Amino acid sequence: MDLSYSDEEKAFREEVRTFLKEKLPKELSDKVRGGDELGKADIERWHAILNEQGWLAPNWPKKFGGAEWNAVQRHIFEEEAAAHHAPRIVPFGLSMLAPVLQKFGSKEQQDYWLPRILSGEDWWCQGYSEPGAGSDLASLKTTAVRDGDHYIVNGQKTWTTLGQHANMIFCLVRTDKDVKQQEGISFLLIDMNTPGIEVRPIILLDGSAEVNEVFFNDVKVPAENLVGEENKGWTYAKYLLTHERTNIAGVGFSQAGLTAVKRIAKAEMAGGKPLIQNPHFAARLAQVEIDLQAMSTTNLRIISKAAAGTAPGVESSMLKVKGTIIRQEINDLARRAAGAYAMPFASEAIEGSNAGLPDPLAAGPVAAQYFNNRKLSIFGGSNEIQRGIIAKVTMGG
């Protein structure tokens, strides 16, 4: 297997680097590098820059306005974007809902919603998890009862990431209680400004409000906002989750994180020598680098399947488990290398900066990133559930 880049791929990498140097605003890359919290305006600004370039939706077919990059192009862009400290592309509309609409949505839904995702007119959030229905998603309780040309929705969603910014939410709702759990679920698109919806922030340990609870009380949703067929939502949900899990691997983030760990470990001293020369630390660093290189190859193989129009199968579960383990190990190594510099102080932790400490390596966000990324083990389907899926598919049962 030849893993070297072709001349065309090397030229594409140079094109991406040039674009990032010329178009990525310094204030945004400084925020990302320093671990500062990005606001809605920051993310919308970066999305608009990418959309103007035609690069906001690298995985979309050109007929829907996407770049239709191949797997290697997407891999190269992800690497370079992380290396230049570009903001991440928020995935809910672009990488999660859009593939579902493109495969299962009506022509009218595709024509209306997809351009609005690209233009930024709509900010989507995900309405999957509920109290008591996270890893066991099929046990969800939020109901949608058909009433003429509308559905009436009642229930609660939780852990709704960036829901405070969203004007739209895609939701799994129960439309039939008398059948097997997976067979009574539907997929609805809901306007967050509809009367009866309330968003309450969940304050995290680091003081941020990244996630929310969303309550639905007799919310009236047009029946035309049903995606696909009623009671077939579980099929669409699984299709969406394979795309979400593939994205969670975050190869580019891990590569950028590994570079930062090496930078810190070369500067910090342990026993009179740079930390990177400590045998125990160096062994952990080498192991995670080997694992990351192996996962990078696997990631290329899986996104090739996605680019070919095939939803990744059990491989996305493998990628999700391995990707989260690697990211958490890199976070842990960074925290250990930064030592006291990584200690968050109350107000500085929220800002993501330890400006008061004499730290030339911008170690301020390290501890916050370590704690925040503990969540990677459970969102998008917990790692325990993914291991069960892998065992069932590969060994039968």
Side-chain angles (χ1 to χ4, degrees):
M1 183 177 180
D2 184 5
L3 295 178
S4 58
Y5 291 107
S6 67
D7 289 341
E8 290 78 12
E9 288 160 351
K10 291 176 182 174
F12 177 74
R13 185 182 291 278
E14 285 305 313
E15 183 183 1
V16 172
R17 285 175 176 168
T18 301
F19 166 78
L20 291 168
K21 288 175 183 173
E22 293 178 352
K23 300 294 185 180
L24 173 60
K26 184 177 183 304
E27 54 269 34
L28 292 187
S29 62
D30 285 348
K31 277 190 171 183
V32 173
R33 189 177 190 280
D36 295 345
E37 185 176 346
L38 293 174
K40 182 181 181 183
D42 293 326
I43 296 169
E44 289 179 330
R45 182 183 180 189
W46 180 232
H47 280 200
I49 291 170
L50 289 173
N51 190 39
E52 185 177 0
Q53 182 74 8
W55 290 359
L56 181 58
N59 56 323
W60 289 21
K62 288 184 177 177
K63 68 177 182 179
F64 292 124
E68 202 172 309
W69 284 344
N70 61 36
V72 176
Q73 287 175 308
R74 291 174 58 189
H75 180 76
I76 289 172
F77 179 80
E78 187 178 345
E79 275 190 337
E80 292 299 328
H84 286 78
H85 307 290
R88 71 172 182 136
I89 297 175
V90 175
F92 303 108
L94 288 157
S95 303
M96 294 165 66
L97 173 62
V100 172
L101 290 177
Q102 290 166 9
K103 187 172 181 64
F104 302 105
S106 66
K107 180 70 165 53
E108 291 74 18
Q109 288 172 335
Q110 293 170 352
D111 290 345
Y112 183 75
W113 295 113
L114 293 176
R116 294 171 65 91
I117 293 175
L118 288 178
S119 69
E121 287 178 86
D122 294 323
W123 183 302
W124 289 87
C125 61
Q126 182 184 31
Y128 272 29
S129 296
E130 298 181 2
S135 297
D136 183 17
L137 187 59
S139 64
L140 63 90
K141 299 289 192 296
T142 296
T143 60
V145 178
R146 185 69 181 259
D147 181 16
D149 295 334
H150 291 80
Y151 287 95
I152 306 300
V153 178
N154 283 282
Q156 178 189 352
K157 299 293 178 181
T158 192
W159 306 120
T160 311
T161 303
L162 302 181
Q164 72 272 30
H165 298 328
N167 67 310
M168 294 295 300
I169 183 171
F170 54 88
C171 272
L172 294 181
V173 293
R174 185 158 301 287
T175 42
D176 192 339
K177 299 178 180 178
D178 299 323
V179 295
K180 183 181 174 183
Q181 281 186 330
Q182 288 82 352
E183 295 173 358
I185 293 172
S186 297
F187 194 107
L188 276 184
L189 312 178
I190 302 176
D191 186 336
M192 293 283 280
N193 295 312
T194 310
I197 295 180
E198 180 183 2
V199 179
R200 297 179 189 170
I202 300 172
I203 306 301
L204 302 180
L205 279 174
D206 64 3
S208 68
E210 183 183 34
V211 291
N212 302 269
E213 295 175 292
V214 181
F215 296 86
F216 301 86
N217 185 21
D218 290 332
V219 175
K220 200 173 179 181
V221 180
E224 64 193 32
N225 283 16
L226 173 73
V227 175
E229 299 179 47
E230 189 174 280
N231 297 328
K232 299 293 185 185
W234 188 246
T235 298
Y236 317 143
K238 290 190 296 181
Y239 183 81
L240 183 151
L241 282 171
T242 58
H243 287 272
E244 180 185 10
R245 288 168 188 152
T246 303
N247 291 323
I248 290 172
V251 173
F253 292 119
S254 290
Q255 289 171 331
L258 186 63
T259 300
V261 171
K262 289 180 178 178
R263 187 177 68 244
I264 297 170
K266 286 177 182 174
E268 292 298 306
M269 304 298 286
K273 295 181 179 179
L275 178 61
I276 201 167
Q277 295 181 18
N278 177 282
H280 178 66
F281 190 89
R284 286 185 63 177
L285 197 61
Q287 184 60 58
V288 78
E289 187 163 13
I290 292 168
D291 290 345
L292 179 55
Q293 288 183 352
M295 188 184 71
S296 179
T297 303
T298 304
N299 186 57
L300 271 173
R301 183 160 48 86
I302 293 174
I303 59 179
S304 291
K305 290 182 67 174
T310 304
V314 68
E315 297 93 340
S316 67
S317 296
M318 297 176 181
L319 199 59
K320 195 271 179 178
V321 172
K322 196 63 180 177
T324 56
I325 291 173
I326 289 173
R327 288 181 70 180
Q328 290 173 340
E329 172 68 358
I330 290 172
N331 287 149
D332 187 39
L333 288 171
R335 181 178 62 94
R336 291 174 182 274
Y341 293 128
M343 290 176 63
F345 292 81
S347 60
E348 294 159 348
I350 296 174
E351 296 297 327
S353 171
N354 276 351
L357 289 175
D359 174 25
L361 299 169
V366 167
Q369 290 170 356
Y370 170 83
F371 286 114
N372 192 289
N373 280 346
R374 297 296 95 190
K375 70 188 179 189
L376 296 177
S377 301
I378 58 172
F379 77 16
S382 71
N383 284 4
E384 285 71 19
I385 294 292
Q386 302 315 306
R387 290 187 176 99
I389 293 172
I390 294 167
K392 185 176 181 180
V393 173
T394 59
M395 294 186 285

